[in-house]
Amino acid sequence: MLRDQRVLVCGAGGFIGGHFVKHLLKEGVAEVRAVDNKPLHEWHQCSPAAENLVCDLSELECCRRATRGVDWVFQLAADMGGMGFIHNHKALCMLSVLVSTHMLVAARENKVARFFYSSSACVYNADKQTNPDVVALKEEDAYPAMPEDGYGWEKLFSERMCRHFREDYGLETRVARYHNVYGPQGTWTGGREKAPAAICRKVIEAKINGTNEIEIWGDGKQTRSFMYVDDCTKGTQMFLESDITEPLNLGSDELVTINQLVDIAEEIAGVKLHRKYNLSAPKGVNGRNSDNTKILQQLGWEPSIRLREGLAKTYAWIESEMLVGSVK
C-alpha cells in the first residue's frame, strides 16, 4: 500500500523526519519528497534518493509547492526540542501552528489522499501527571484540556484542525501522539536535546573529563517512557495505512525514573557518577506514561524496543560524535 504512493515528509531535515525518509526508501517507496526549512548541510540526515527541497512550510505557497503531485503527507515539521527548549520558547513552539494549518489547507487544495500529523504526549491534562507513580495516560485524558503550555496547546489545536478537515472536507487525516522519541542522529547538545541524549552526553563528558559528576534536572524521581526511533517510524507508517481516525498514543509503556535512565547510561558507560540535582531547572510534569490499550486493539502492535537496547545504540552514536569533535 505504502510503496505505491507518492509521499511527502515535512520536517525531513529533523531527527524523526530524517529517519522516516530512510524508512520509506527502505520500504521501496519510489517517490519520496523531503522538505525542511534548514539548508541541506544542516539536515540531520539527507537521503540522495529522495527529492530534497529547502522550503519554509510556515508559508502557504511553500506548502502548496510541497504538496503538489503527492498522495500521502507525513507532517512531522515543528519548532521544538527537549523540556528546556519548550519551557523557554513557548511562542516559537506556538508558531508551528502556521505549518500545520497551511499544510492542511494545501493538502486539501491539492487533493492529497491521506495526511498524518505527529502530535505529542504534551497534549495531556497536567492534572493527570502530578505524581511520579502516574497512571498510564489514556487518549481521553487529553480533556478537559490543560496541556503543556505553548507546545502542548499548539499540538492539541492542530489535532482538532485535522479532525475538522476530515469532518468538513473529507481529507483523510491520522494523528499519533508521540511519547519521547530518541535514538541516533538526534540533537544531543545546544539546548534542544531531550533527556536520553542529554544524559548520554553528560555521562560521556564526565567519563572523558574525569569529573565523576553529573547534573540532573529536577530530583530525578520524575518518571517517563521513551520510544526508540525505529518503533516510531514503524508505528507512523502503520497509522497512516490504517483506518484509525481518532488520535492514539504512539509510545513505549516501559516507565522509568530519570534516575533509572541515568543508571542505564552509567551501566553502558561502565562508570558510577556523583549526582548533582538542579531543582531550579525545567523538569516538566512529575510523571508521564503511555497507555497502549487502544493501539494494541486497533493495530495489534505496540512499540517493543527496550530502553536498554535503544539507549546503548544512542550512547554509542553520541560518543562517536563527541570523540570526532574532540579530535577536530
Side-chain angles (χ1 to χ4, degrees):
M1 186 176 184
L2 174 70
R3 66 179 57 188
D4 298 326
Q5 312 302 321
R6 296 165 295 178
V7 179
L8 167 65
V9 179
C10 307
F15 163 53
I16 300 174
H19 277 282
F20 195 66
V21 169
K22 285 194 168 183
H23 171 79
L24 293 173
L25 295 170
K26 186 178 178 181
E27 288 292 301
V29 179
E31 295 184 51
V32 179
R33 181 176 296 159
V35 181
D36 203 282
N37 66 344
K38 296 185 292 291
L40 281 174
H41 70 273
E42 293 183 10
W43 288 26
H44 288 230
Q45 300 178 77
C46 188
S47 300
E51 177 192 359
N52 297 302
L53 297 179
V54 176
C55 198
D56 184 355
L57 295 176
S58 67
E59 300 176 3
L60 180 56
E61 272 311 309
C62 285
C63 294
R64 286 170 172 150
R65 177 188 174 196
T67 54
R68 198 167 293 127
V70 301
D71 303 308
W72 286 10
V73 169
F74 291 88
Q75 180 3 35
L76 311 177
D79 203 346
M80 59 86 66
M83 184 49 59
F85 180 83
I86 65 175
H87 178 81
N88 293 311
H89 299 89
K90 296 182 178 68
L92 277 179
C93 292
M94 290 291 287
L95 283 171
S96 293
V97 75
L98 293 173
V99 179
S100 300
T101 303
H102 288 156
M103 280 302 305
L104 284 164
V105 170
R108 180 199 172 208
E109 288 179 355
N110 284 325
K111 296 180 172 52
V112 165
R114 294 200 174 193
F115 186 102
F116 173 87
Y117 176 66
S118 59
S119 187
S120 165
C122 288
V123 302
Y124 284 113
N125 188 312
D127 282 349
K128 301 279 188 178
Q129 304 170 78
T130 58
N131 194 319
D133 299 320
V134 65
V135 176
L137 294 161
K138 299 179 182 294
E139 283 76 5
E140 54 266 29
D141 290 332
Y143 296 94
M146 194 190 299
E148 184 81 40
D149 199 10
Y151 179 69
W153 277 109
E154 188 279 322
K155 288 294 185 183
L156 193 60
F157 175 82
S158 294
E159 281 190 11
R160 303 294 290 193
M161 287 285 287
C162 288
R163 171 182 170 176
H164 297 312
F165 266 70
R166 185 184 74 252
E167 293 172 341
D168 293 357
Y169 304 127
L171 176 61
E172 285 292 329
T173 57
R174 305 288 184 267
V175 175
R177 292 172 179 162
Y178 289 171
H179 285 248
N180 296 312
V181 187
Y182 74 99
Q185 306 292 334
T187 301
W188 53 271
T189 190
R192 290 181 183 259
E193 64 274 19
K194 295 185 178 180
I199 294 299
C200 286
R201 186 200 73 238
K202 290 177 181 181
V203 170
I204 296 165
E205 285 174 341
K207 186 176 180 180
I208 291 174
N209 300 330
T211 57
N212 200 42
E213 183 175 272
I214 182 172
E215 181 186 77
I216 298 172
W217 287 8
D219 59 10
K221 297 177 183 177
Q222 62 268 40
T223 52
R224 295 289 187 276
S225 63
F226 300 97
M227 175 173 55
Y228 190 65
V229 67
D230 289 357
D231 273 336
C232 180
T233 55
K234 180 178 180 179
T236 296
Q237 175 185 341
M238 293 174 75
F239 261 80
L240 196 55
E241 289 181 328
S242 76
D243 294 325
I244 301 168
T245 56
E246 76 267 31
L248 294 188
N249 286 326
L250 181 53
S252 168
D253 61 3
E254 181 187 357
L255 187 69
V256 296
T257 66
I258 297 302
N259 278 327
Q260 289 172 327
L261 178 63
V262 177
D263 289 341
I264 296 170
E266 287 177 334
E267 188 260 319
I268 293 168
V271 298
K272 196 67 181 174
L273 305 174
H274 171 71
R275 300 181 184 186
K276 179 181 177 182
Y277 295 97
N278 184 349
L279 301 182
S280 64
K283 71 181 186 70
V285 296
N286 287 322
R288 178 181 291 154
N289 194 17
S290 178
D291 185 305
N292 286 348
T293 303
K294 283 192 175 181
I295 190 174
L296 280 167
Q297 290 173 345
Q298 299 273 9
L299 294 179
W301 174 89
E302 66 177 327
S304 60
I305 298 171
R306 304 296 292 178
L307 180 58
R308 174 61 175 78
E309 178 187 350
L311 199 67
K313 294 177 181 179
T314 306
Y315 181 99
W317 179 79
I318 293 174
E319 185 177 45
S320 68
E321 290 291 295
M322 292 178 70
L323 291 175
V324 169
S326 66
V327 170
K328 291 179 181 178

